[in-house]
């Protein structure tokens, strides 16, 4: 499998240099400034060219707008100027500006990039400096992401070799710490993007399991995979039921990171790993079915978070469970009207085989609890309804614990990933009741995102739980902000930020 962005992010050198802009050597330098600042530009290679472009109206210096110029200086031949608002820099703005700068650097195939830290940020110290270094590095690396293609004449993606944050008087220790954190978040997000962008004939449950095991080996996690025989023997009837119509059998994947001496206070991450979803017997329409390669986006999110956690090694305990299957129609496939017995012992009336994600998550939730989870976050491309409600901007949230979600929401505010909590009134829970089983997997009459989430929450069995419906945000038809067209790796950064905040 081609996880090219992950490969180059493993090799890129990230560093801080307490140097003047005029002393920096790089293929290209990045300068951030408002129109009024760039009209008086000085002290960096290409300053005169930038000043002239602004005064001539060639560069308006609007927020996140870029201008590229030759500097005429051998030690830093290319300038990338990025406009900003004439107000205090906020982390969201900085992250977006660096993403745009990275896209210009990739277009020009520049390998060594130096970002000149704006004057107002140079005096930052401690956590303030680390936070700004984090968003600068994270934004640049996310913007440098390139989707791998399979064209006959496709060239390898361009790899940035070095990124330097430069400025006189920088608190190098704090800036370096933040830069490494930003690199880890970008690494995890790029891992998720690469994985989600893979075609369904390349990524199927056993290959997803292999990738998870490789990740575990890389970072020293404990890990194991249950194959279809072990899944059946353990009584994971919901996962087995979804996967039985495919020639690619299901897998239950588990990774364990122990950052504390005792295996207590364990955060469980559970991901939906449907590597391709036809809808099964309840077949989807043909239009846009190709995008169902992204139906394992929840598994990519939790595995990406594990990659970031593995790099940063916080003092926390995390268990990650991925329930993976391929949802296909076949003579032996799951049918509407079937009744499954889940790993929890609950029976499930199947009314729609295209509501399969919640079925595999049911067994994943129970397994995470068995492996020691004391609270659970699940991520899934669960419902089309969430896109109707929130579009591709915000991730829908359902929870049984408002205090838990409040802490998660604070993490989301820091990463600038939007989340929106939906109600979970008892009347919604009651809609899950079945006449012939303990619960039913589909409910007519609206509230699909809420009831789909609450179905999953049923299997939390009282544990604090947050459900993230990323069906609208995991895969974009066109790029926006730090996210490219295709897979976004959404929620990797927020899950990681939450886990680290609990250390």
């Amino acid at each position: 499998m081609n996880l090219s962005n992950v490969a180059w992010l493993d090799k890129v050198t990230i560093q801080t240099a307490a140097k003047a802009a005029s002393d920096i050597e790089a293929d290209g330098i990045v300068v951030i400034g408002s129109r009024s600042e760039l009209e008086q530009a000085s002290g960096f290679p290409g300053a005169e060219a930038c000043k002239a472009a602004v005064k001539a109206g060639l560069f308006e210096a609007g927020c996140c707008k870029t201008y590229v110029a030759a500097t005429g200086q051998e030690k830093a031949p290319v300038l990338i100027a990025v406009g900003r608002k004439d107000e205090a820099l906020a982390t969201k703005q900085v992250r977006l500006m660096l993403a745009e700068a990275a896209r210009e650097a990739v277009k020009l195939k520049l390998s060594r990039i130096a970002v000149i830290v704006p004057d107002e940020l140079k005096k930052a110290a401690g956590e303030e400096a680390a936070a700004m270094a984090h968003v600068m590095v994270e934004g640049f690396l996310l913007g440098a992401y390139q989707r791998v293609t399979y064209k006959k004449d496709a060239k390898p993606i361009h790899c940035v070799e070095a990124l330097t944050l430069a400025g006189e008087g920088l608190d190098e220790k704090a800036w370096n710490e933040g830069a490494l954190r930003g690199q880890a978040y970008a690494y995890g997000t790029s891992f998720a993007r690469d994985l989600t962008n893979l075609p369904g004939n390349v990524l199927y449950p056993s290959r997803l399991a292999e990738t998870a095991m490789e990740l575990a080996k890389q970072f020293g996690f404990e890990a194991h995979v249950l194959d279809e025989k072990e899944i059946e023997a353990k009584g994971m009837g919901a996962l087995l039921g979804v996967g039985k119509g495919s020639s690619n059998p299901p897998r239950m994947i588990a990774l364990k990171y122990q950052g504390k001496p005792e295996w207590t206070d364990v955060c469980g991450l559970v991901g939906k790993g449907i590597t391709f979803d036809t809808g099964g017997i309840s077949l989807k329409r043909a239009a846009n079915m190709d995008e169902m390669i992204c139906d394992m986006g929840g598994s990519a999110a939790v595995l990406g978070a594990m990659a970031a956690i593995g790099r940063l090694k916080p003092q926390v305990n995390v268990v990650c469970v991925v329930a993976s299957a391929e949802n296909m129609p076949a003579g032996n496939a799951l049918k509407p009207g079937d009744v499954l017995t889940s790993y929890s012992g609950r029976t499930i009336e199947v009314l729609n085989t295209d509501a399969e994600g919640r079925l595999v998550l049911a067994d994943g939730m129970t397994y995470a609890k068995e492996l020691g989870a004391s609270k659970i976050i699940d991520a899934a491309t669960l419902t089309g309804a969430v896109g109707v409600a929130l579009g591709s901007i915000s991730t829908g949230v359902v929870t049984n614990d408002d205090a838990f979600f409040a802490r998660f929401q604070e993490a989301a505010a820091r990463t600038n990933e939007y989340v929106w909590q939906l109600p979970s009134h008892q009347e919604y829970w009651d809609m899950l009741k079945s006449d012939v089983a303990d619960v039913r997997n589909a409910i007519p009459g609206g509230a699909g995102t809420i009831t789909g989430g609450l179905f999953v929450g049923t299997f939390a069995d009282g544990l604090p739980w947050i459900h993230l419906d990323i069906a609208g945000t995991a895969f974009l038809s066109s790029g926006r902000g730090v996210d490219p067209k295709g897979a976004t790796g959404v929620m990797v950064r927020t899950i990681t930020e939450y886990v680290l905040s609990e250390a």
Side-chain angles (χ1 to χ4, degrees):
M1 291 189 298
N2 197 345
L3 304 183
S4 294
N5 291 276
V6 173
W8 78 257
L9 276 171
D10 246 342
K11 299 173 183 175
V12 64
T13 300
I14 310 288
Q15 60 186 351
T16 298
K19 294 181 179 180
S22 57
D23 296 330
I24 295 296
E25 292 188 16
D27 298 329
I29 63 166
V30 176
V31 173
I32 296 169
S34 65
R35 182 181 178 86
S36 59
E37 289 171 330
L38 295 178
E39 280 179 333
Q40 304 171 42
S42 64
F44 59 84
E48 290 301 319
C50 184
K51 184 193 303 184
V54 174
K55 289 184 176 180
L58 298 175
F59 180 38
E60 293 293 332
C63 186
C64 299
K65 301 300 182 184
T66 57
Y67 180 76
V68 177
T71 67
Q73 297 185 28
E74 187 175 341
K75 66 179 180 180
V78 177
L79 167 69
I80 301 172
V82 187
R84 57 169 285 193
K85 294 179 181 179
D86 221 344
E87 58 187 41
L89 286 168
T91 55
K92 180 179 179 180
Q93 184 183 359
V94 172
R95 189 184 280 110
L96 293 174
M97 289 188 294
L98 268 294
E100 293 300 332
R103 290 175 183 129
E104 294 292 352
V106 168
K107 271 191 233 174
L108 296 168
K109 299 194 182 303
L110 305 178
S111 296
R112 298 174 303 135
I113 312 296
V115 179
I116 308 306
V117 176
D119 288 343
E120 70 191 81
L121 302 179
K122 290 177 182 176
K123 294 180 182 179
E127 184 50 38
E128 182 186 359
M132 197 54 68
H134 176 153
V135 297
M136 283 185 161
V137 171
E138 179 187 284
F140 187 93
L141 296 179
L142 291 178
Y145 182 88
Q146 301 146 79
R147 186 174 179 178
V148 174
T149 71
Y150 299 86
K151 298 178 181 179
K152 182 179 178 182
D153 58 351
K155 296 178 181 178
I157 66 171
H158 176 68
C159 303
V160 175
E161 295 175 4
L163 176 63
T164 302
L165 305 181
E168 291 180 283
L170 293 183
D171 179 351
E172 288 195 35
K173 183 176 183 294
W175 280 82
N176 277 324
E177 286 177 359
L180 290 175
R181 199 164 68 219
Q183 184 180 12
Y185 280 47
Y187 180 90
T189 304
S190 295
F191 181 92
R193 288 175 177 178
D194 276 354
L195 206 56
T196 306
N197 278 327
L198 289 171
N201 63 324
V202 174
L203 184 69
Y204 35 88
S206 63
R207 294 295 297 277
L208 181 59
E210 289 169 9
T211 302
M213 293 300 285
E214 289 166 5
L215 186 72
K217 182 178 179 181
Q218 179 180 354
F219 293 113
F221 302 147
E222 290 184 32
H224 65 268
V225 175
L226 304 180
D227 65 19
E228 67 275 24
K229 292 180 181 178
E230 293 167 306
I231 289 168
E232 183 174 16
K234 287 184 77 69
M236 296 177 172
L239 174 58
L240 192 68
V242 172
K244 69 179 182 178
S246 172
S247 59
N248 294 307
R251 294 289 183 268
M252 184 67 86
I253 305 158
L255 285 71
K256 174 182 173 182
Y257 169 78
Q258 185 167 349
K260 294 179 177 179
E262 301 295 327
W263 187 243
T264 57
D265 191 23
V266 180
C267 182
L269 305 178
V270 179
K272 171 187 170 183
I274 301 296
T275 56
F276 193 80
D277 182 19
T278 66
I281 296 297
S282 305
L283 193 66
K284 293 179 182 290
R285 295 177 181 179
N288 301 319
M289 195 194 288
D290 57 290
E291 293 183 0
M292 287 300 100
I293 63 171
C294 79
D295 212 24
M296 38 60 65
S299 66
V302 296
L303 289 172
M306 291 298 289
I309 291 164
R311 291 182 77 98
L312 296 170
K313 302 193 180 333
Q315 293 182 348
V316 294
N317 292 331
V318 183
V319 62
C320 175
V321 172
V322 169
S324 183
E326 193 175 63
N327 189 21
M328 300 290 284
N332 65 332
L334 188 66
K335 305 177 297 298
D338 286 357
V339 175
L340 302 175
T341 301
S342 69
Y343 191 38
S344 71
R346 287 185 186 85
T347 54
I348 303 166
E349 180 186 13
V350 177
L351 298 182
N352 185 342
T353 67
D354 196 22
E356 85 299 327
R358 64 200 70 182
L359 297 177
V360 303
L361 286 171
D363 284 346
M365 295 279 286
T366 303
Y367 198 43
K369 185 176 181 180
E370 180 182 301
L371 295 176
S374 51
K375 55 190 171 186
I376 297 176
I377 300 169
D378 84 80
T381 49
L382 201 74
T383 66
V386 76
V388 176
L390 301 175
S392 62
I393 308 295
S394 298
T395 290
V397 175
V398 183
T399 183
N400 65 1
D401 190 310
D402 289 339
F404 184 16
F405 176 64
R407 298 193 301 276
F408 187 86
Q409 193 171 31
E410 289 171 359
R414 292 191 293 272
T415 62
N416 302 126
E417 290 191 303
Y418 300 136
V419 293
W420 191 262
Q421 184 180 1
L422 296 164
S424 56
H425 307 308
Q426 183 59 46
E427 289 84 351
Y428 290 121
W429 288 95
D430 292 342
M431 292 169 70
L432 299 172
K433 293 177 181 177
S434 164
D435 292 335
V436 300
D438 294 312
V439 289
R440 53 181 178 168
N441 84 323
I443 293 90
T449 300
I450 297 169
T451 55
L454 293 179
F455 178 96
V456 179
T458 299
F459 297 85
D461 282 311
L463 292 183
W465 155 80
I466 295 170
H467 165 70
L468 304 172
D469 192 336
I470 61 173
T473 51
F475 204 83
L476 300 181
S477 57
S478 59
R480 183 182 60 239
V482 298
D483 293 323
K485 179 179 180 179
T488 63
V490 71
M491 289 293 109
V492 169
R493 293 181 291 125
T494 299
I495 292 171
T496 305
E497 179 71 12
Y498 168 75
V499 169
L500 264 63
S501 73
E502 295 291 290

